[in-house]
Amino acid sequence: MAKINNDDFEYVFQNTIVGQAFVSLEGKCMKANTALCKILGYTKEEIKHIYYHDISHEDDIELTKSKYNHALKNNTSSYQYERRCYCKNREVIWALVNTTLIKDKRGNPLYFFTQIQDITSRKKHEQGLKDVQERYELVLRASQEGIWDNPDNTKNYEYWSDQYKRMLGYRPDEIEGSAKLFFSHLHSDDIQKTKKAMADHAKNKSHPYSTEYRLRTKSGQYKWFKTYGIITSKNGKDRSTGSLSDIHSQKMAENVLERNKKKLLEYTKELERINEDLDSFAYIASHDLKEPIRNIVTNIYLLQEDHKNILDDNINKRLEKIIFLCDKMEQIINSLLDFAKLKNKDLKIKRIDLNEIIKSIISTYELSNTNISFKLPSPLPKTICDEVTITEVFRNLISNAIKYNNKKQKIVEISYTNTMGNNGIPKNVFYVKDNGIGIDEKHKKDIFQLFKRLDNTEDKVEGTGIGLTFVKKIIDRHGGKIWVDSDLQKGSTFYFTIC
Ligand code: ADP
């Protein structure tokens, strides 16, 4: 048999693309080939002064030592491992190290023959894959979504993530996923639409398909899930991949909401019908009532005229009282009619100068009353509203501020402040403030109710208890709010916003 001569060995040793070196038992590089010098960045002269620990990365020194000691102790001839090495420029590379312990004829260790391959790019690639896998698992854990993947679009096997199985109530090791199993768990009412969603997507794959369906869980109960899926093709084969989220509670809540919405709609319709009936009743009744009242008054006047000789003062006083009450009843009926009309009245919304409105209202009081003073600290801003009804609001509030006031000098302040609206935009809050009799805390809500007049309202103060209801309705129709702040005997402030 032909012998390999030394020159051939030297030629192969020097020219192979794998880094190679003879290393003494103390770890010193005795001889290295060109490839190793290139990998580590040393010249052949420099590398002869290098010990293995000079190039070992701190984190792998222990591993390197243990491999070396193990080889010596157990007289192992070859071993392989991966470790990081420092190059001359301190750059770190990953190396696949193959070491063979060379022994003499008696088996005594002489030195090591080491081969080093630079596997840095493979390691980086592996690390990248590991990172991707780790990220994928973390995202899955965080999203609580189940995942399926059918790489060959077969019926008998499909990857189901652990979470997918748990969502169906199974332990991850309890079942193997498959398309067949999926369809056997799918509610019969949802099979058609699920197949259709898949088939539609297969025709146009520009967007993932999405559908909601019920799957039978291990306990036999059906639960609602939402799925997003895509079908991709590679080398003529379809692959089906997707995610599954549990929407059962949301679906149940939606059902309740839907039922409540339906009920609410029914109630609203009923309420609208009742309101319409009430409105037409109020309108017809008010209209029809006015005539008999006018007749009563006319008859009383006739009675007084025809029998003035026999009617004594007492009877006349009573008849006057009846006329007064009839007038009051007519006032109430008129207010009721206005109130009923307000609902259907079209508001003419435009930018209005409120200062003009206030000027015209207070001018009627200023002419004849010296015991009323009006304070207007700052001009009111131009406001978008219906002029006619908003005039009614100010007229009512100003008239009440004067009516329900027992002070010698009645003071009425009309102005506005600002508040922050829900949408973050400041809103104007208008107010009418008086130094009148005030309103007890317990009555603050009642005063906006129809015909509500308070116990402390003196009989001689004219009113029907409809004004504030009217005001509230106008403010409501403008989308605003009205409320009152008050101190008994000190005065009240009525605040309101317009939209
Ligand atoms: P009316 O003035 O015709 O009685 P309103 O609806 O305007 O009806 O007012 C309801 C009740 O609220 C009044 O009867 C009165 O008791 C009370 N009220 C209204 N405005 C004031 C005010 N500025 N100060 C004190 N009480 C008031």
Side-chain angles (χ1 to χ4, degrees), residues 31 147 219 289 343 369 452 474 495:
K31 178 180 170 120
I147 297 291
S219 66
L289 271 173
K343 192 184 163 221
N369 296 288
K452 195 77 192 178
I474 293 169
Y495 295 96

Side-chain angles (χ1 to χ4, degrees), residues 32 36 52 60 77 89-90 154 199 248 276 293 341 344 382 400-401 414 424 429 454 483 489 495-496 498:
L36 185 63
Y52 78 86
D60 293 335
S77 46
N89 63 5
R90 301 309 284 168
T154 54
H248 194 70
E276 265 165 32
I293 290 167
K341 276 189 224 152
N344 299 318
K382 290 228 162 73
N400 280 352
I414 303 142
V429 180
L454 305 183
W483 66 100
Q489 293 314 324
Y495 295 96
F496 64 95
I498 304 175

Side-chain angles (χ1 to χ4, degrees), residues 328 331 335 396-405 432-434 436-440 443 446-458 461-471 484 486 488 491-494:
K328 184 149 184 163
Q331 262 180 44
S335 303
N396 263 291
L397 295 179
I398 293 169
S399 131
N400 280 352
I402 295 164
K403 269 200 300 186
Y404 301 106
N405 201 322
V432 176
K433 182 177 178 183
D434 62 54
I437 60 172
I439 300 163
D440 201 330
H443 294 311
D446 303 340
I447 55 170
F448 295 104
Q449 285 171 19
L450 205 54
F451 301 127
K452 195 77 192 178
R453 308 202 71 216
L454 305 183
D455 300 343
N456 63 357
T457 306
E458 295 164 42
V461 179
E462 262 188 43
T464 55
I466 209 170
L468 285 180
T469 318
F470 211 69
V471 165
V484 63
S486 188
L488 269 179
S492 313
T493 308
F494 282 82

